[in-house]
Amino acid sequence: MNTILRAAPISAPRLQLEPLSVIHAAEMVPVLAGTYLYRYIGGEAPTRGELTGRYAAQSVGVSPDGREAWLNWIIREEGAAVGFVQATVAVGGPCPTAYLAWVVGEPFQGRGIATEAARAVLDWLQRCSGVPVAAFIHPQNQASAAVACKLGLIASGELDEDGEERWDLPGHRTGKSAAAQ
């Protein structure tokens, strides 16, 4: 893949996925406020200032070295922000790969939102780029593992340096993880 992908609006049956912008920081603070969200992914709930800085960097859509496309979407249900989906696409080297991740705020979990949003992004990635897709999930994160299974990803048994297991879309095995955003 020689061109950098850019996040575009995506519609799903119940959801709208809106490309990330700095203006989303204020409304995402309460969505990302739950402490349980960070049990497996680490860190803590971000402040508005932290999200503003993070979103300013991510919404550029490409890493500073140009080797990754940073595709980020805010998940909306009935107009309200409920989480995000991201795909980090390694665009350089012999094995371009999209690394998919999702986070849904605690009040909105258990309703299939993560699966629906991640499926919409996965389908979009396959239409736009055809690159292999993978995800890294903490071995004890049963909710994210269930989403990965519903997407058709299969656990590899391989752990990365953070102790997360690699999940791959069958027939699309790729190389090592891209650098984290």
Side-chain angles (χ1 to χ4, degrees):
M1 187 173 92
N2 295 326
T3 60
I4 298 289
L5 288 173
R6 299 284 181 200
I10 301 173
S11 294
R14 296 178 297 158
L15 308 172
Q16 294 295 315
L17 279 66
E18 188 174 293
L20 180 72
S21 168
V22 173
I23 63 169
H24 294 115
E27 70 181 314
M28 287 299 291
V29 169
V31 174
L32 300 175
T35 57
Y36 184 77
L37 286 178
Y38 306 95
R39 180 176 180 188
Y40 301 115
I41 62 175
E44 58 187 38
T47 66
R48 182 176 179 172
E50 290 167 339
L51 274 186
T52 298
R54 182 181 309 161
Y55 289 179
Q58 290 176 335
S59 63
V60 170
V62 63
S63 64
D65 64 7
R67 295 175 48 192
E68 295 175 339
W70 290 346
L71 309 173
N72 296 275
W73 292 266
I74 297 300
I75 305 168
R76 292 194 179 280
E77 181 184 46
E78 297 179 3
V82 297
F84 68 86
V85 178
Q86 65 183 39
T88 301
V89 184
V91 295
C95 297
T97 304
Y99 297 95
L100 195 58
W102 49 86
V103 173
V104 172
E106 289 176 28
F108 313 105
Q109 293 179 1
R111 301 185 354 225
I113 292 171
T115 300
E116 185 174 335
R119 165 61 60 204
V121 170
L122 175 63
D123 291 347
W124 182 86
L125 283 167
Q126 293 300 287
R127 281 192 313 274
C128 293
S129 71
V131 298
V133 175
F136 285 90
I137 299 170
H138 190 283
Q140 295 175 337
N141 190 339
Q142 294 177 355
S144 282
V147 170
C149 285
K150 290 174 186 170
L151 296 176
L153 300 171
I154 297 174
S156 69
E158 297 175 27
L159 300 181
D160 71 0
E161 60 276 359
D162 295 323
E164 293 185 331
E165 184 172 17
R166 183 190 180 97
W167 291 66
D168 291 294
L169 199 57
H172 293 98
R173 181 66 168 106
T174 60
K176 194 73 177 146
S177 169
Q181 287 190 27

